[in-house]
Amino acid sequence: MCDYDESTLARKLAEKWHLNVPERRSLPVGGLSASAFAGAIGDILKASPWYPAEWPRDEPAYDGAVITPNEHGFTIHERHEIGIMRFSDATITQVATLEEAVRAFLKATFKLREIDGIPIDWSR
């Protein structure tokens, strides 16, 4: 059995939204810690002006959420497909901390509880 560092797993999950079977087996029973996941997103935001980093900024039609840092904390841009190629108006939420931004992103994109079947443990 391979043991993976939780920060490495958090970074991969933040980038790919998927872990393979050996990586999943390395996770604690309760899932990936929210603090490790938020830290991985924070690292991505140091190198990219938004998260997810591959978000096509010039694409007017997107489904989900995007985190952008600002001078007061973070902005979450959220928009959802409401019909075939029809999208809701974007909502913009300001939050003060990275944890709040990650919670808002996960709630908008993955219903907060898990990513690809991997639970996010908000107690750690």
Side-chain angles (χ1 to χ4, degrees), residues 33-49:
S33 76
S35 61
F37 189 70
I41 290 176
D43 290 344
I44 291 168
L45 285 170
K46 289 176 186 171
S48 173

Side-chain angles (χ1 to χ4, degrees), residues 45-60:
L45 285 170
K46 289 176 186 171
S48 173
W50 50 75
Y51 175 82
E54 68 281 351
W55 175 55
R57 183 169 174 83
D58 296 330
E59 176 63 44

Side-chain angles (χ1 to χ4, degrees), residues 55-95:
W55 175 55
R57 183 169 174 83
D58 296 330
E59 176 63 44
Y62 67 91
D63 183 42
V66 177
I67 300 171
T68 56
N70 62 51
E71 62 275 359
H72 303 291
F74 298 88
T75 304
I76 297 88
H77 308 264
E78 183 179 346
R79 186 173 184 181
H80 297 283
E81 189 167 15
I82 57 175
I84 297 173
M85 292 306 296
R86 290 182 48 227
F87 294 86
S88 66
D89 292 335
T91 59
I92 298 172
T93 306
Q94 302 290 330
V95 296

Side-chain angles (χ1 to χ4, degrees), residues 23-43:
E23 292 164 337
R24 288 169 187 255
R25 288 184 180 145
S26 293
L27 290 169
V29 174
L32 183 68
S33 76
S35 61
F37 189 70
I41 290 176
D43 290 344

